[in-house]
Amino acid sequence: MADLEHVRWIRRPELRRPHVIAAFTGWNDAADAASMALKTMIEQMGAAPLAEIEPEEFTDFATIRPHVRLSDGMNRSIVWPTVSLWSVTSDDQDLILVLGPEPALRWKLFCKQIVDVARTYKASSVITLGALLADVPHRHVTQVIGTAVDQEMLDAHDLQRSRYEGPTGIVGVLNDVAHRAGISTAALWAAVPAYAAQLPSPKAAAALIDRVSEIVGCDAPTSTLEAQLESYEESIDQIIENDPSLSSYLERLENMDDEDDEYSYDENDDEQYAYDESDDDSAPSAPITEESLDSEAFLEEVEQFLRSQRDD
């Protein structure tokens, strides 16, 4: 029985077994990559508001504060930090998109609200997006690792079964609650260069969109992110030029990758800012194959990253 006590519906469209795609700002969102991916999908796909999860039960307003907004320079209103849901149809595939701040309180009840919306619409799957800091060069392809529990999802989409044990964020809890409710789940993580954590990453966001779009069978609206890639990489180049220690660190990373033959980036390639549409969900680079990514090593990086975080 669905319990939607904390869901405020905005509209109730008919949806056909939608995929639910969720991302949250905060702990799981290095360089804003996951939230940027969802925001881009919402805006570029023309998604319409579906519902909101009332924030009162789940938010520490001393940590994530509401904002005051003035309209016409006179009328004052409070904008609350709210997790919102949108719906859209792309390539005949219905989607529910979930975006907002990671809640601070009552995670199981919070996740149950999203899962009950998914159950109401007989959702095909729940897929979460995340990003982590890793020892990866910024001009190489963005690695995206996908994990799942259901054997059907593992086989159908070339995902891996996570061996991780340790602290988790809201995406881990949401996947668990959805799985226990009988919904197929998957988690996608993009690697962001640790030395560029202060810069939002359109590159990692685009890689996440490419991968999730491949899984659910819809268009990948990455054109606006693609237009930002050159500026993003040049900004990081400037940071490195001004810091000799970073320059040495990056050189070691690139040499390690060259020795392992994990990447095939060619900075003289005329197509270096065009997305490769292969199964590895690459960011700008020369064409690569699925075998060129060491997915086992990257999965280990994901697990080490999560273990290094405090369980708040």
Side-chain angles (χ1 to χ4, degrees):
M1 192 77 183
D3 178 8
L4 300 167
E5 176 185 357
H6 302 287
V7 174
R8 183 178 72 84
W9 291 100
I10 298 172
R11 25 190 296 280
R12 298 291 293 266
E14 291 187 7
L15 300 174
R16 299 161 296 173
R17 294 189 55 77
H19 293 279
V20 178
I21 305 171
F24 302 91
T25 59
W27 195 79
N28 312 276
D29 192 27
D32 300 339
S35 58
M36 186 187 301
L38 238 297
K39 183 179 180 182
T40 299
M41 293 180 73
I42 291 165
E43 293 176 348
Q44 297 302 307
M45 289 179 162
L50 178 70
E52 294 179 344
I53 299 179
E54 299 288 356
E56 192 73 22
E57 293 288 333
F58 310 109
T59 308
D60 177 2
F61 293 121
T63 303
I64 303 177
R65 294 184 179 274
H67 290 179
V68 175
R69 183 170 295 171
L70 293 177
S71 58
D72 301 326
M74 298 178 59
N75 298 317
R76 181 176 181 272
S77 61
I78 302 294
V79 179
W80 298 93
T82 302
V83 173
S84 299
L85 292 77
W86 291 260
S87 67
V88 67
T89 300
S90 176
D91 281 355
D92 294 326
Q93 176 59 62
D94 289 337
L95 305 175
I96 294 176
L97 307 175
V98 183
L99 177 62
E102 180 181 62
L105 308 167
R106 307 186 72 180
W107 280 14
K108 288 190 290 186
L109 179 60
F110 171 85
C111 290
K112 191 174 186 301
Q113 306 305 298
I114 295 175
V115 169
D116 283 345
V117 170
R119 292 173 63 193
T120 298
Y121 280 108
K122 298 180 172 58
S124 297
S125 70
V126 171
I127 302 173
T128 58
L129 308 183
L132 72 153
L133 302 179
D135 291 328
V136 293
H138 66 285
R139 283 192 174 271
H140 287 177
V141 297
T142 297
Q143 298 184 60
V144 175
I145 190 70
T147 63
V149 175
D150 306 319
Q151 193 61 48
E152 185 177 345
M153 287 285 283
L154 290 166
D155 295 340
H157 303 295
D158 195 24
L159 303 173
Q160 299 187 42
R161 191 180 300 277
S162 176
R163 305 177 306 275
Y164 171 71
E165 296 180 50
T168 190
I170 193 63
V171 297
V173 177
L174 178 56
N175 273 272
D176 181 70
V177 173
H179 174 69
R180 292 176 184 276
I183 303 173
S184 295
T185 64
L188 301 179
W189 289 85
V192 174
Y195 54 86
Q198 71 273 34
L199 295 178
S201 176
K203 188 170 185 174
L208 285 168
I209 292 175
D210 278 340
R211 184 63 168 125
V212 74
S213 298
E214 175 190 292
I215 291 174
V216 304
C218 72
D219 289 334
T222 57
S223 59
T224 58
L225 297 172
E226 187 176 348
Q228 301 174 44
L229 293 178
E230 185 171 3
S231 175
Y232 167 72
E233 293 185 336
E234 288 177 351
S235 295
I236 300 176
D237 288 342
Q238 188 64 47
I239 293 172
I240 293 168
E241 287 177 10
N242 295 331
D243 189 333
S245 63
L246 272 183
S247 181
S248 299
Y249 166 69
L250 179 60
E251 184 177 354
R252 290 197 301 273
L253 284 183
E254 291 178 332
N255 288 339
M256 287 170 56
D257 288 331
D258 291 340
E259 289 170 4
D260 293 339
D261 196 27
E262 290 182 3
Y263 301 91
S264 58
Y265 178 77
D266 179 2
E267 65 183 5
N268 296 315
D269 187 345
D270 290 337
E271 299 300 318
Q272 62 180 299
Y273 292 110
Y275 277 90
D276 177 37
E277 297 179 355
S278 64
D279 288 342
D280 52 58
D281 316 297
S282 63
S285 73
I288 63 176
T289 65
E290 183 67 21
E291 288 74 24
S292 67
L293 294 179
D294 185 349
S295 58
E296 287 291 333
F298 180 49
L299 183 58
E300 191 63 33
E301 286 190 33
V302 173
E303 295 173 351
Q304 290 175 3
F305 167 79
L306 291 172
R307 291 189 188 99
S308 72
Q309 306 301 299
R310 286 188 177 178
D311 185 5
D312 295 333

